[in-house]
Amino acid sequence: MSAAARNYIQIHAERFKEQFKELLSIPSVSTLESHRADCERAAIWLAEDMRRAGFHKVDLLDVGWHPIVFGEWMGAGPNAPTVLVYGHYDVQPAEMADGWHTDPFQPVERDGKIYARGAIDSKSNVMAQLKAAEALIQTGGAPVNIKLMFEGDEESASGNMSAFVKANRERLNCDVVAICDGSMADREQPDLAYGLRGVVCMELEVHGPKQDLHSGHYGGTVHNPIQALAEIIAQLHHPDGSVAVPGFYDEVRTPDETEREQLRRALPWIEAEWREVAAAPQQWGEAAYNLHERIGTRPTLEINGIAGGFAGDGFKTVLPGKARAKISCRLVPDQNSQRTYERLRDYIQKITPPTVKAELRLIETGEPAVIDTNAPAVQAAVRAYETVWGKTPFFVREGGSIPVVVDLQRELGKPMVLFSFGYKGCAAHGPNEHVYLDMWYKGMTIMTHYYEELKQRITG
Ligand code: BES
Ligand code: MN
């Protein structure tokens, strides 16, 4: 049955690509208020395309910020399983000045790739899901019922999604949750994620004198807030790379030997990707853990940005009144964002010298998650990747975060699969983000096989 859908994908490949470019040209940046209307426009575009694809029931759902696009196709009947497919259509900000070679919102096709903000994270995933569903629906129907849920707030930490999922259990009811976001470690070797880290984003502000001062008049008598901030930051890690916040590791669940062995299998690919994409002079971090373990199973504390004083052209002999840093922690099971924030806040209070005042504010959070790789729903995905790639996918634990995942796990209690189709070296969140078209088409084809596999393993 799904062979016709795969044929349809081939016949309509050009149109799919043009539509993908259309979506990419809408700057649906969820982190900036000024792009609110663009997010709305992207949502409407997707809703219309879902209708064209043959979804019976398509709605824009108000979650207080950018709408969720929700489409249902229940044509497989009550005895077939229902899959809830999650993706996000919002993107991170992008400007030419960040180092883009072409306008981030005017997609350019070059050497089998499309360059645009959102190309890899995550409009390619959204469109692969939508076009796979269209292909199936338009060629006699999918083997399973499909609910598509495309969020518009993921890049701004999904603040309202927890409440939305709780209030909409009925509507989201399904047999399997398919999350489609993220990317793979290699261009030739597929992988399937079974873990995501959580994240807690914070802002640290250090105040000294009541305002900026003349550094000649007061230098040497006032504790410079940038210096104090640097002194605080320098105490957040031990020299061995581990985090120095007391209790930080208390709830960390360490993988057993079987899991470590499994993680080692994907290690050469992850190391190769690190060399190509991170390309730092040398690895850094906790020596007792290999690169895959450090990315997927260990928590971190990062300084994302630091600001204060004067750093423009020329010179200003100023003693700044305050300094700020953005700090985030990646979390692993069984850590929790609130507790991590409180521990860091208390530690910073303790190490802040009496010469300045420090305040740590909690900005946004997402909890860590792992899924059961033995679940039939996951094994069906392994088969689908094998069929399309001709290779068995490695299981990997991802370093990134998708906040809604734990809400869906907790509220729906259904098996979950973490799909991704693209390559990690495609500059998600960075300049010249792109996607490989061959991998994108493979993604659609994987879904047509996946639904067939699922239908054989699970009933509705
Ligand atoms: N697509 C990523 C999440 C991701 C990254 C999953 C790598 C798997 C591998 C997502 O769009 C993202 O960037 N999430 C943010 C969440 C944050 C804003 C709360 C992240 O991880 O920083
Ligand atoms: Mn992202």
Side-chain angles (χ1 to χ4, degrees), residues 34-273:
S34 55
H35 284 282
R36 195 183 182 127
D38 294 318
C39 292
E40 184 97 18
R41 209 146 53 84
I44 291 168
W45 189 96
L46 282 165
E48 278 170 3
D49 202 54
M50 278 185 197
R51 287 192 193 101
R52 278 194 294 269
F55 276 80
H56 302 142
K57 198 165 170 298
V58 178
D59 286 313
L60 293 193
L61 307 178
D62 183 10
V63 273
W65 188 219
H66 305 108
I68 290 176
V69 192
F70 197 86
E72 283 179 36
W73 183 84
M74 304 299 282
N79 298 324
T82 300
V83 183
L84 173 68
V85 178
Y86 165 90
H88 69 89
Y89 67 83
D90 63 318
V91 301
Q92 291 272 335
E95 281 170 37
M96 285 302 284
D98 302 334
W100 284 79
H101 300 317
T102 56
D103 187 323
F105 297 105
Q106 282 177 26
V108 171
E109 189 177 341
R110 198 169 355 110
D111 306 328
K113 292 168 270 186
I114 292 184
Y115 287 81
R117 171 55 91 229
I120 186 81
D121 185 11
S122 200
K123 286 175 175 169
S124 52
N125 292 316
V126 161
M127 284 300 276
Q129 292 298 341
L130 180 46
K131 294 296 135 183
E134 174 186 323
L136 288 161
I137 294 168
Q138 294 298 324
T139 55
V144 300
N145 300 304
I146 301 174
K147 295 182 180 180
L148 293 179
M149 169 163 93
F150 297 149
E151 184 192 352
D153 291 322
E154 198 273 346
E155 300 292 3
S156 44
S158 308
N160 301 329
M161 285 303 279
S162 229
F164 170 81
V165 173
K166 202 171 269 172
N168 288 275
R169 278 204 217 107
E170 218 24 62
R171 187 168 212 151
L172 304 181
N173 187 34
C174 61
D175 301 290
V176 172
V177 180
I179 304 288
C180 193
D181 192 20
S183 41
M184 307 195 285
D186 198 75
R187 284 263 299 130
E188 310 292 336
Q189 167 61 49
D191 59 55
L192 258 173
Y194 71 99
L196 293 163
R197 286 196 289 194
V199 67
V200 46
C201 303
M202 296 156 287
E203 226 168 61
L204 174 60
E205 196 157 283
V206 174
H207 291 265
K210 68 179 183 193
Q211 65 172 46
D212 290 2
L213 299 172
H214 189 294
S215 69
H217 290 176
Y218 301 100
T221 68
V222 169
H223 195 172
N224 184 311
I226 297 180
Q227 184 183 339
L229 176 64
E231 287 163 3
I232 291 170
I233 286 174
Q235 293 175 69
L236 299 180
H237 290 89
H238 293 301
D240 67 0
S242 63
V243 176
V245 179
F248 186 77
Y249 293 97
D250 281 3
E251 287 89 18
V252 171
R253 202 197 305 165
T254 307
D256 60 21
E257 203 29 57
T258 320
E259 185 176 358
R260 293 189 82 172
E261 174 56 35
Q262 180 175 284
L263 293 167
R264 270 195 291 275
R265 247 174 275 158
L267 186 59
W269 282 267
I270 289 178
E271 283 181 330
E273 176 230 22

